Amino acid sequence: MSYTVLLCGVGGQGTILAAHILAEVAGLSGKDVKVSEIHGMSQRGGAVTTVVVFGDEVHSMVSGIGCADAIVAFEMIEALRNISDLKLDGTLIASDEIIKPSSVLTGSFELNPNIQEELISKGAILVPAQANAREAGSVKASNVVLLGALAEELDFSEQNWIDAISAHVPQKTIDINLAAFEAGRAFAREHKE
């Protein structure tokens, strides 16, 4: 058995860092882990998709329609764009943030005004990741807030999360990131169905 997590966002949101932390946690927990990254135009705010697959034995890190056990979306448009990859009984965790693409900003494309309602109707846990990260000490830790929310779905020890976060974030931000992680965990715990 393997477990597939699709992380999606736009460049600069820390999607890849979050994937590396998750992969480290799985590895520390004795799991076989495979990671696949698609950067796209991430340097310019384009889509970033990373797949982390872990289990007793993992043969592929490919995810497709209906394959992801969990999707962690760093903003709502990317959540909606990738939702077809989620299994029917999968977990959808998304930041409540919207980052308007350039096509919307220039007026050549209109944004769906019901994104939030659509995601909620599909069972999404919408996390105020930026607000929680700001409260923890830095809005840049919103990716770790989302990992905290995901941690409620996974059976990994808290110590492995602490060790992985501490190993991957800058030394001076460890306390902020650990507080952000706990904020995400607490939010998910309170908002489980």
Side-chain angles (χ1 to χ4, degrees):
M1 292 282 297
S2 63
Y3 192 91
T4 302
V5 180
L6 178 109
L7 299 101
C8 55
V10 297
Q13 289 190 292
T15 308
I16 294 169
L17 174 61
H20 287 260
I21 292 171
L22 175 59
E24 177 91 6
V25 171
L28 289 170
S29 303
K31 302 295 183 186
D32 186 21
V33 184
K34 301 276 188 288
V35 179
S36 170
E37 299 172 1
I38 300 172
H39 298 258
M41 296 291 286
S42 62
Q43 294 278 335
R44 298 184 182 166
V48 178
T49 304
T50 306
V51 176
V52 179
V53 183
F54 51 86
D56 295 330
E57 192 174 349
V58 177
H59 300 285
S60 173
M61 68 280 204
V62 176
S63 180
I65 294 173
C67 291
D69 295 285
I71 292 178
V72 179
F74 290 64
E75 65 94 43
M76 291 193 291
I77 294 172
E78 286 302 309
L80 203 53
R81 192 170 73 78
N82 287 283
I83 201 162
S84 64
D85 282 11
L86 189 64
K87 288 182 177 177
L88 287 176
D89 59 347
T91 300
L92 176 59
I93 297 168
S95 173
D96 64 359
E97 177 183 12
I98 289 181
I99 297 177
K100 294 180 181 175
S102 58
S103 59
V104 171
L105 294 173
T106 60
S108 61
F109 187 77
E110 196 169 309
L111 194 61
N112 175 349
N114 301 315
I115 292 174
Q116 187 168 352
E117 292 80 10
E118 198 168 330
L119 290 172
I120 290 170
S121 75
K122 298 192 184 297
I125 301 169
L126 295 181
V127 181
Q130 282 195 344
N132 283 325
R134 190 176 295 112
E135 193 172 306
S138 173
V139 72
K140 290 181 178 180
S142 60
N143 58 343
V144 180
V145 171
L146 293 168
L147 283 179
L150 176 65
E152 278 300 298
E153 299 295 319
L154 304 175
D155 191 26
F156 295 142
S157 77
E158 186 166 351
Q159 190 59 54
N160 285 349
W161 283 105
I162 291 168
D163 291 347
I165 291 166
S166 299
H168 286 276
V169 301
Q171 186 77 28
K172 65 183 181 180
T173 68
I174 290 173
D175 289 343
I176 289 169
N177 280 282
L178 292 177
F181 175 79
E182 188 48 48
R185 255 193 130 144
F187 184 86
R189 201 175 300 127
E190 290 170 17
H191 293 86
K192 273 189 175 179
E193 291 182 4

